[in-house]
PDB file of all heavy atoms in Angstrom:
ATOM      1  N   THR A   1     101.109  55.439  62.968  1.00 86.00           N
ATOM      2  CA  THR A   1     102.039  56.353  63.620  1.00 86.00           C
ATOM      3  C   THR A   1     101.631  56.594  65.073  1.00 86.00           C
ATOM      4  O   THR A   1     100.550  56.229  65.511  1.00 86.00           O
ATOM      5  CB  THR A   1     102.078  57.691  62.879  1.00 86.00           C
ATOM      6  OG1 THR A   1     100.745  58.234  62.840  1.00 86.00           O
ATOM      7  CG2 THR A   1     102.579  57.512  61.459  1.00 86.00           C
ATOM      8  N   GLY A   2     102.534  57.248  65.821  1.00 88.00           N
ATOM      9  CA  GLY A   2     102.228  57.668  67.173  1.00 88.00           C
ATOM     10  C   GLY A   2     102.322  56.578  68.216  1.00 88.00           C
ATOM     11  O   GLY A   2     101.860  56.763  69.343  1.00 88.00           O
ATOM     12  N   THR A   3     102.920  55.435  67.881  1.00 93.00           N
ATOM     13  CA  THR A   3     102.938  54.292  68.798  1.00 93.00           C
ATOM     14  C   THR A   3     104.350  53.782  69.080  1.00 93.00           C
ATOM     15  O   THR A   3     104.687  53.501  70.235  1.00 93.00           O
ATOM     16  CB  THR A   3     102.084  53.147  68.223  1.00 93.00           C
ATOM     17  OG1 THR A   3     100.713  53.568  68.174  1.00 93.00           O
ATOM     18  CG2 THR A   3     102.182  51.887  69.065  1.00 93.00           C
ATOM     19  N   ALA A   4     105.178  53.645  68.050  1.00 94.00           N
ATOM     20  CA  ALA A   4     106.443  52.929  68.183  1.00 94.00           C
ATOM     21  C   ALA A   4     107.370  53.539  69.230  1.00 94.00           C
ATOM     22  O   ALA A   4     107.987  52.820  70.029  1.00 94.00           O
ATOM     23  CB  ALA A   4     107.156  52.869  66.831  1.00 94.00           C
ATOM     24  N   LEU A   5     107.497  54.867  69.231  1.00 95.00           N
ATOM     25  CA  LEU A   5     108.431  55.520  70.144  1.00 95.00           C
ATOM     26  C   LEU A   5     108.055  55.236  71.599  1.00 95.00           C
ATOM     27  O   LEU A   5     108.904  54.869  72.421  1.00 95.00           O
ATOM     28  CB  LEU A   5     108.440  57.025  69.882  1.00 95.00           C
ATOM     29  CG  LEU A   5     109.749  57.774  70.120  1.00 95.00           C
ATOM     30  CD1 LEU A   5     110.852  57.211  69.267  1.00 95.00           C
ATOM     31  CD2 LEU A   5     109.557  59.256  69.811  1.00 95.00           C
ATOM     32  N   THR A   6     106.769  55.402  71.908  1.00 95.00           N
ATOM     33  CA  THR A   6     106.316  55.197  73.275  1.00 95.00           C
ATOM     34  C   THR A   6     106.506  53.753  73.721  1.00 95.00           C
ATOM     35  O   THR A   6     107.049  53.473  74.799  1.00 95.00           O
ATOM     36  CB  THR A   6     104.842  55.597  73.407  1.00 95.00           C
ATOM     37  OG1 THR A   6     104.732  57.011  73.268  1.00 95.00           O
ATOM     38  CG2 THR A   6     104.267  55.195  74.750  1.00 95.00           C
ATOM     39  N   VAL A   7     106.057  52.804  72.895  1.00 97.00           N
ATOM     40  CA  VAL A   7     106.135  51.396  73.286  1.00 97.00           C
ATOM     41  C   VAL A   7     107.587  50.961  73.440  1.00 97.00           C
ATOM     42  O   VAL A   7     107.940  50.241  74.381  1.00 97.00           O
ATOM     43  CB  VAL A   7     105.385  50.516  72.270  1.00 97.00           C
ATOM     44  CG1 VAL A   7     105.531  49.039  72.625  1.00 97.00           C
ATOM     45  CG2 VAL A   7     103.915  50.891  72.231  1.00 97.00           C
ATOM     46  N   GLY A   8     108.453  51.405  72.534  1.00 98.00           N
ATOM     47  CA  GLY A   8     109.862  51.023  72.612  1.00 98.00           C
ATOM     48  C   GLY A   8     110.543  51.535  73.864  1.00 98.00           C
ATOM     49  O   GLY A   8     111.299  50.819  74.522  1.00 98.00           O
ATOM     50  N   MET A   9     110.297  52.796  74.218  1.00 98.00           N
ATOM     51  CA  MET A   9     110.916  53.347  75.420  1.00 98.00           C
ATOM     52  C   MET A   9     110.368  52.678  76.674  1.00 98.00           C
ATOM     53  O   MET A   9     111.109  52.428  77.639  1.00 98.00           O
ATOM     54  CB  MET A   9     110.703  54.859  75.455  1.00 98.00           C
ATOM     55  CG  MET A   9     111.478  55.601  74.370  1.00 98.00           C
ATOM     56  SD  MET A   9     111.019  57.353  74.200  1.00 98.00           S
ATOM     57  CE  MET A   9     111.655  58.025  75.736  1.00 98.00           C
ATOM     58  N   LEU A  10     109.077  52.336  76.680  1.00 98.00           N
ATOM     59  CA  LEU A  10     108.507  51.641  77.830  1.00 98.00           C
ATOM     60  C   LEU A  10     109.051  50.224  77.952  1.00 98.00           C
ATOM     61  O   LEU A  10     109.196  49.701  79.068  1.00 98.00           O
ATOM     62  CB  LEU A  10     106.980  51.618  77.725  1.00 98.00           C
ATOM     63  CG  LEU A  10     106.291  52.978  77.882  1.00 98.00           C
ATOM     64  CD1 LEU A  10     104.791  52.844  77.628  1.00 98.00           C
ATOM     65  CD2 LEU A  10     106.540  53.574  79.263  1.00 98.00           C
ATOM     66  N   ASP A  11     109.375  49.582  76.825  1.00 98.00           N
ATOM     67  CA  ASP A  11     110.060  48.281  76.881  1.00 98.00           C
ATOM     68  C   ASP A  11     111.295  48.365  77.766  1.00 98.00           C
ATOM     69  O   ASP A  11     111.538  47.515  78.629  1.00 98.00           O
ATOM     70  CB  ASP A  11     110.522  47.854  75.485  1.00 98.00           C
ATOM     71  CG  ASP A  11     109.416  47.390  74.569  1.00 98.00           C
ATOM     72  OD1 ASP A  11     108.306  47.085  75.056  1.00 98.00           O
ATOM     73  OD2 ASP A  11     109.660  47.324  73.351  1.00 98.00           O
ATOM     74  N   THR A  12     112.095  49.385  77.523  1.00 98.00           N
ATOM     75  CA  THR A  12     113.399  49.451  78.178  1.00 98.00           C
ATOM     76  C   THR A  12     113.279  49.732  79.673  1.00 98.00           C
ATOM     77  O   THR A  12     114.108  49.277  80.461  1.00 98.00           O
ATOM     78  CB  THR A  12     114.275  50.526  77.520  1.00 98.00           C
ATOM     79  OG1 THR A  12     113.742  51.826  77.771  1.00 98.00           O
ATOM     80  CG2 THR A  12     114.361  50.316  76.016  1.00 98.00           C
ATOM     81  N   VAL A  13     112.248  50.471  80.073  1.00 98.00           N
ATOM     82  CA  VAL A  13     112.049  50.744  81.492  1.00 98.00           C
ATOM     83  C   VAL A  13     111.667  49.458  82.226  1.00 98.00           C
ATOM     84  O   VAL A  13     112.078  49.222  83.359  1.00 98.00           O
ATOM     85  CB  VAL A  13     110.977  51.832  81.686  1.00 98.00           C
ATOM     86  CG1 VAL A  13     110.713  52.082  83.154  1.00 98.00           C
ATOM     87  CG2 VAL A  13     111.417  53.127  81.009  1.00 98.00           C
ATOM     88  N   ASN A  14     110.900  48.608  81.562  1.00 98.00           N
ATOM     89  CA  ASN A  14     110.546  47.314  82.129  1.00 98.00           C
ATOM     90  C   ASN A  14     111.768  46.413  82.231  1.00 98.00           C
ATOM     91  O   ASN A  14     111.940  45.681  83.224  1.00 98.00           O
ATOM     92  CB  ASN A  14     109.469  46.660  81.257  1.00 98.00           C
ATOM     93  CG  ASN A  14     108.972  45.335  81.796  1.00 98.00           C
ATOM     94  OD1 ASN A  14     109.672  44.328  81.766  1.00 98.00           O
ATOM     95  ND2 ASN A  14     107.737  45.325  82.272  1.00 98.00           N
ATOM     96  N   LEU A  15     112.628  46.460  81.225  1.00 98.00           N
ATOM     97  CA  LEU A  15     113.776  45.559  81.162  1.00 98.00           C
ATOM     98  C   LEU A  15     114.914  45.954  82.085  1.00 98.00           C
ATOM     99  O   LEU A  15     115.560  45.092  82.701  1.00 98.00           O
ATOM    100  CB  LEU A  15     114.281  45.506  79.707  1.00 98.00           C
ATOM    101  CG  LEU A  15     115.563  44.726  79.440  1.00 98.00           C
ATOM    102  CD1 LEU A  15     115.412  43.261  79.847  1.00 98.00           C
ATOM    103  CD2 LEU A  15     115.967  44.849  77.969  1.00 98.00           C
ATOM    104  N   ALA A  16     115.190  47.229  82.193  1.00 98.00           N
ATOM    105  CA  ALA A  16     116.430  47.681  82.835  1.00 98.00           C
ATOM    106  C   ALA A  16     116.551  47.212  84.284  1.00 98.00           C
ATOM    107  O   ALA A  16     117.601  46.709  84.697  1.00 98.00           O
ATOM    108  CB  ALA A  16     116.538  49.199  82.759  1.00 98.00           C
ATOM    109  N   TRP A  17     115.503  47.378  85.078  1.00 98.00           N
ATOM    110  CA  TRP A  17     115.633  47.031  86.496  1.00 98.00           C
ATOM    111  C   TRP A  17     115.773  45.527  86.686  1.00 98.00           C
ATOM    112  O   TRP A  17     116.421  45.068  87.649  1.00 98.00           O
ATOM    113  CB  TRP A  17     114.470  47.595  87.300  1.00 98.00           C
ATOM    114  CG  TRP A  17     113.135  46.928  87.145  1.00 98.00           C
ATOM    115  CD1 TRP A  17     112.173  47.221  86.239  1.00 98.00           C
ATOM    116  CD2 TRP A  17     112.596  45.880  87.964  1.00 98.00           C
ATOM    117  NE1 TRP A  17     111.071  46.416  86.424  1.00 98.00           N
ATOM    118  CE2 TRP A  17     111.296  45.594  87.484  1.00 98.00           C
ATOM    119  CE3 TRP A  17     113.085  45.164  89.059  1.00 98.00           C
ATOM    120  CZ2 TRP A  17     110.483  44.606  88.047  1.00 98.00           C
ATOM    121  CZ3 TRP A  17     112.280  44.182  89.631  1.00 98.00           C
ATOM    122  CH2 TRP A  17     110.995  43.910  89.129  1.00 98.00           C
ATOM    123  N   LYS A  18     115.204  44.756  85.760  1.00 98.00           N
ATOM    124  CA  LYS A  18     115.323  43.298  85.850  1.00 98.00           C
ATOM    125  C   LYS A  18     116.739  42.840  85.494  1.00 98.00           C
ATOM    126  O   LYS A  18     117.291  41.947  86.149  1.00 98.00           O
ATOM    127  CB  LYS A  18     114.280  42.650  84.950  1.00 98.00           C
ATOM    128  CG  LYS A  18     112.847  42.975  85.386  1.00 98.00           C
ATOM    129  CD  LYS A  18     111.793  42.525  84.394  1.00 98.00           C
ATOM    130  CE  LYS A  18     110.397  42.927  84.886  1.00 98.00           C
ATOM    131  NZ  LYS A  18     109.324  42.563  83.938  1.00 98.00           N
ATOM    132  N   LEU A  19     117.333  43.457  84.467  1.00 98.00           N
ATOM    133  CA  LEU A  19     118.746  43.179  84.178  1.00 98.00           C
ATOM    134  C   LEU A  19     119.622  43.603  85.353  1.00 98.00           C
ATOM    135  O   LEU A  19     120.552  42.890  85.742  1.00 98.00           O
ATOM    136  CB  LEU A  19     119.169  43.917  82.910  1.00 98.00           C
ATOM    137  CG  LEU A  19     118.755  43.317  81.569  1.00 98.00           C
ATOM    138  CD1 LEU A  19     119.143  44.266  80.440  1.00 98.00           C
ATOM    139  CD2 LEU A  19     119.400  41.956  81.362  1.00 98.00           C
ATOM    140  N   GLY A  20     119.338  44.786  85.917  1.00 98.00           N
ATOM    141  CA  GLY A  20     120.114  45.259  87.052  1.00 98.00           C
ATOM    142  C   GLY A  20     120.029  44.314  88.234  1.00 98.00           C
ATOM    143  O   GLY A  20     121.030  44.055  88.925  1.00 98.00           O
ATOM    144  N   ALA A  21     118.834  43.764  88.484  1.00 98.00           N
ATOM    145  CA  ALA A  21     118.667  42.816  89.589  1.00 98.00           C
ATOM    146  C   ALA A  21     119.523  41.574  89.374  1.00 98.00           C
ATOM    147  O   ALA A  21     120.159  41.065  90.307  1.00 98.00           O
ATOM    148  CB  ALA A  21     117.199  42.436  89.723  1.00 98.00           C
ATOM    149  N   ASP A  22     119.559  41.081  88.136  1.00 97.00           N
ATOM    150  CA  ASP A  22     120.369  39.898  87.844  1.00 97.00           C
ATOM    151  C   ASP A  22     121.856  40.206  87.993  1.00 97.00           C
ATOM    152  O   ASP A  22     122.610  39.434  88.598  1.00 97.00           O
ATOM    153  CB  ASP A  22     120.069  39.411  86.427  1.00 97.00           C
ATOM    154  CG  ASP A  22     120.798  38.132  86.086  1.00 97.00           C
ATOM    155  OD1 ASP A  22     121.943  38.211  85.578  1.00 97.00           O
ATOM    156  OD2 ASP A  22     120.231  37.057  86.332  1.00 97.00           O
ATOM    157  N   ILE A  23     122.276  41.333  87.456  1.00 97.00           N
ATOM    158  CA  ILE A  23     123.699  41.695  87.511  1.00 97.00           C
ATOM    159  C   ILE A  23     124.151  41.940  88.942  1.00 97.00           C
ATOM    160  O   ILE A  23     125.273  41.598  89.323  1.00 97.00           O
ATOM    161  CB  ILE A  23     123.933  42.932  86.618  1.00 97.00           C
ATOM    162  CG1 ILE A  23     123.796  42.529  85.137  1.00 97.00           C
ATOM    163  CG2 ILE A  23     125.289  43.565  86.884  1.00 97.00           C
ATOM    164  CD1 ILE A  23     123.620  43.682  84.198  1.00 97.00           C
ATOM    165  N   ASN A  24     123.263  42.513  89.765  1.00 96.00           N
ATOM    166  CA  ASN A  24     123.610  42.796  91.156  1.00 96.00           C
ATOM    167  C   ASN A  24     123.396  41.612  92.086  1.00 96.00           C
ATOM    168  O   ASN A  24     123.643  41.716  93.289  1.00 96.00           O
ATOM    169  CB  ASN A  24     122.801  44.000  91.655  1.00 96.00           C
ATOM    170  CG  ASN A  24     123.254  45.294  90.993  1.00 96.00           C
ATOM    171  OD1 ASN A  24     124.446  45.543  90.859  1.00 96.00           O
ATOM    172  ND2 ASN A  24     122.301  46.113  90.565  1.00 96.00           N
ATOM    173  N   GLY A  25     122.914  40.495  91.520  1.00 95.00           N
ATOM    174  CA  GLY A  25     122.903  39.247  92.274  1.00 95.00           C
ATOM    175  C   GLY A  25     121.690  38.965  93.128  1.00 95.00           C
ATOM    176  O   GLY A  25     121.706  37.995  93.893  1.00 95.00           O
ATOM    177  N   TRP A  26     120.610  39.739  92.993  1.00 96.00           N
ATOM    178  CA  TRP A  26     119.453  39.466  93.841  1.00 96.00           C
ATOM    179  C   TRP A  26     118.192  39.119  93.073  1.00 96.00           C
ATOM    180  O   TRP A  26     117.107  38.987  93.671  1.00 96.00           O
ATOM    181  CB  TRP A  26     119.179  40.608  94.805  1.00 96.00           C
ATOM    182  CG  TRP A  26     118.995  41.985  94.203  1.00 96.00           C
ATOM    183  CD1 TRP A  26     119.924  42.969  94.112  1.00 96.00           C
ATOM    184  CD2 TRP A  26     117.787  42.532  93.628  1.00 96.00           C
ATOM    185  NE1 TRP A  26     119.389  44.090  93.523  1.00 96.00           N
ATOM    186  CE2 TRP A  26     118.082  43.857  93.228  1.00 96.00           C
ATOM    187  CE3 TRP A  26     116.500  42.041  93.435  1.00 96.00           C
ATOM    188  CZ2 TRP A  26     117.129  44.680  92.619  1.00 96.00           C
ATOM    189  CZ3 TRP A  26     115.553  42.867  92.824  1.00 96.00           C
ATOM    190  CH2 TRP A  26     115.870  44.172  92.434  1.00 96.00           C
ATOM    191  N   ALA A  27     118.275  38.921  91.777  1.00 97.00           N
ATOM    192  CA  ALA A  27     117.080  38.610  90.990  1.00 97.00           C
ATOM    193  C   ALA A  27     116.537  37.238  91.359  1.00 97.00           C
ATOM    194  O   ALA A  27     117.286  36.253  91.382  1.00 97.00           O
ATOM    195  CB  ALA A  27     117.397  38.653  89.508  1.00 97.00           C
ATOM    196  N   PRO A  28     115.250  37.132  91.638  1.00 96.00           N
ATOM    197  CA  PRO A  28     114.659  35.811  91.876  1.00 96.00           C
ATOM    198  C   PRO A  28     114.597  35.021  90.570  1.00 96.00           C
ATOM    199  O   PRO A  28     114.682  35.583  89.476  1.00 96.00           O
ATOM    200  CB  PRO A  28     113.261  36.139  92.393  1.00 96.00           C
ATOM    201  CG  PRO A  28     112.957  37.487  91.829  1.00 96.00           C
ATOM    202  CD  PRO A  28     114.276  38.218  91.776  1.00 96.00           C
ATOM    203  N   ALA A  29     114.456  33.724  90.675  1.00 95.00           N
ATOM    204  CA  ALA A  29     114.378  32.871  89.491  1.00 95.00           C
ATOM    205  C   ALA A  29     113.218  33.302  88.608  1.00 95.00           C
ATOM    206  O   ALA A  29     112.109  33.548  89.085  1.00 95.00           O
ATOM    207  CB  ALA A  29     114.203  31.415  89.914  1.00 95.00           C
ATOM    208  N   GLY A  30     113.496  33.422  87.321  1.00 96.00           N
ATOM    209  CA  GLY A  30     112.452  33.736  86.361  1.00 96.00           C
ATOM    210  C   GLY A  30     112.149  35.211  86.189  1.00 96.00           C
ATOM    211  O   GLY A  30     111.317  35.566  85.355  1.00 96.00           O
ATOM    212  N   LEU A  31     112.809  36.087  86.967  1.00 97.00           N
ATOM    213  CA  LEU A  31     112.486  37.508  86.854  1.00 97.00           C
ATOM    214  C   LEU A  31     112.715  38.031  85.445  1.00 97.00           C
ATOM    215  O   LEU A  31     111.870  38.741  84.887  1.00 97.00           O
ATOM    216  CB  LEU A  31     113.306  38.330  87.853  1.00 97.00           C
ATOM    217  CG  LEU A  31     113.089  39.852  87.779  1.00 97.00           C
ATOM    218  CD1 LEU A  31     111.660  40.206  88.189  1.00 97.00           C
ATOM    219  CD2 LEU A  31     114.095  40.595  88.643  1.00 97.00           C
TER     220      LEU A  31
END
């Protein structure tokens, strides 16, 4: 216990800006 919630929410913070970069057209290759 005490792990899943934190790790899952931190996953999304890492992912969101990278998806946003791709959608907004400035993501470098492989981001």
Side-chain angles (χ1 to χ4, degrees):
T1 58
T3 295
L5 212 59
T6 291
V7 177
M9 292 170 69
L10 292 175
D11 286 344
T12 68
V13 177
N14 183 288
L15 174 60
W17 73 271
K18 297 171 182 178
L19 282 174
D22 184 271
I23 289 164
N24 290 316
W26 55 261
L31 178 66

